[in-house]
Amino acid sequence: QKEVEQDPGPLSVPEGAIVSLNCTYSNSAFQYFMWYRQYSRKGPELLMYTYSSGNKEDGRFTAQVDKSSKYISLFIRDSQPSDSATYLCAIATGTASKLTFGTGTRLQVTL
Amino acid sequence: EPEVTQTPSHQVTQMGQEVILRCVPISNHLYFYWYRQILGQKVEFLVSFYNNEISEKSEIFDDQFSVERPDGSNFTLKIRSTKLEDSAMYFCASSAGPGETQYFGPGTRLLVL
């Protein structure tokens, strides 16, 4: 079983739609949960960072962590063409420093 | 806003040659990392570095790889004898502490011919 699973997409939505991106993970020791955005041939850019279960909101973005289900989500409200990118979930344990990434979901927001 | 920088942006080398990839982490960060991303694949952890020592390394980080912080600002990844399968995008990252947010550089695209 892979440590982190993420649907690679591509996911195509019209401008203004609500986007839901998800990852599942297998190791219950994971404590830190991140979402990165990656534009083509660029480095990952941190979008959201959460510790343990719960929700976190930042503008149009909401990150949700459900540790009981080992499931994390990123919601994008009022999606814009500039949101078109690959979204990577990344997870870390409390003591180890490495990030374990999902494969990334490619999102296309169309006009 | 402080950022991680990497040089060169692109590097082409012949198989068997040594390459050194350079990174300047965010200045007050103490933890440094290298990741790689083979084209079309996920970002993979290579190594983490703290207090002039390797903290953790992956199976990918074999004897052909080494890291160094030669001065107070640079953090380097050396590949001693490159292989075709080393062709990838290499990302440097830094963080203020373990479990803290890791900030990534723009990457070095390495092509081994």
Side-chain angles (χ1 to χ4, degrees), chain A residues 32 36 38 41-44 46 49 88 95-99 101-103, chain B residues 33 35 37 42-43 45 48 56 89 91 99-102 104-106 109:
Chain A
Y32 299 89
Y36 284 83
Q38 187 178 27
R41 296 175 182 263
K42 301 291 184 186
L46 182 71
Y49 174 87
L88 311 170
T95 52
S97 53
K98 71 174 186 181
L99 294 180
F101 282 88
T103 52
Chain B
Y33 314 85
Y35 292 82
Q37 186 176 31
K42 66 179 181 178
V43 177
F45 169 77
S48 59
E56 188 175 1
M89 193 77 154
F91 294 109
E100 296 288 330
T101 303
Q102 293 184 25
F104 282 74
R109 182 166 297 280

Side-chain angles (χ1 to χ4, degrees), chain B residues 14-83:
Chain B
Q14 296 291 323
M15 192 169 54
Q17 294 296 303
E18 175 184 286
V19 294
I20 297 177
L21 310 183
R22 292 184 167 79
C23 168
V24 178
I26 293 173
S27 63
N28 62 341
H29 284 183
L30 301 176
Y31 294 80
F32 314 113
Y33 314 85
W34 284 100
Y35 292 82
R36 80 169 186 193
Q37 186 176 31
I38 294 171
L39 188 64
Q41 297 186 26
K42 66 179 181 178
V43 177
E44 299 175 289
F45 169 77
L46 290 178
V47 65
S48 59
F49 190 86
Y50 168 71
N51 199 25
N52 281 318
E53 285 185 351
I54 290 175
S55 309
E56 188 175 1
K57 59 183 181 179
S58 71
E59 294 170 353
I60 303 167
F61 195 87
D62 62 21
D63 292 344
Q64 293 300 314
F65 291 88
S66 62
V67 289
E68 192 178 29
R69 187 151 162 85
D71 52 42
S73 59
N74 289 285
F75 179 51
T76 62
L77 174 69
K78 182 193 289 186
I79 309 175
R80 261 180 276 280
S81 178
T82 50
K83 306 184 187 75

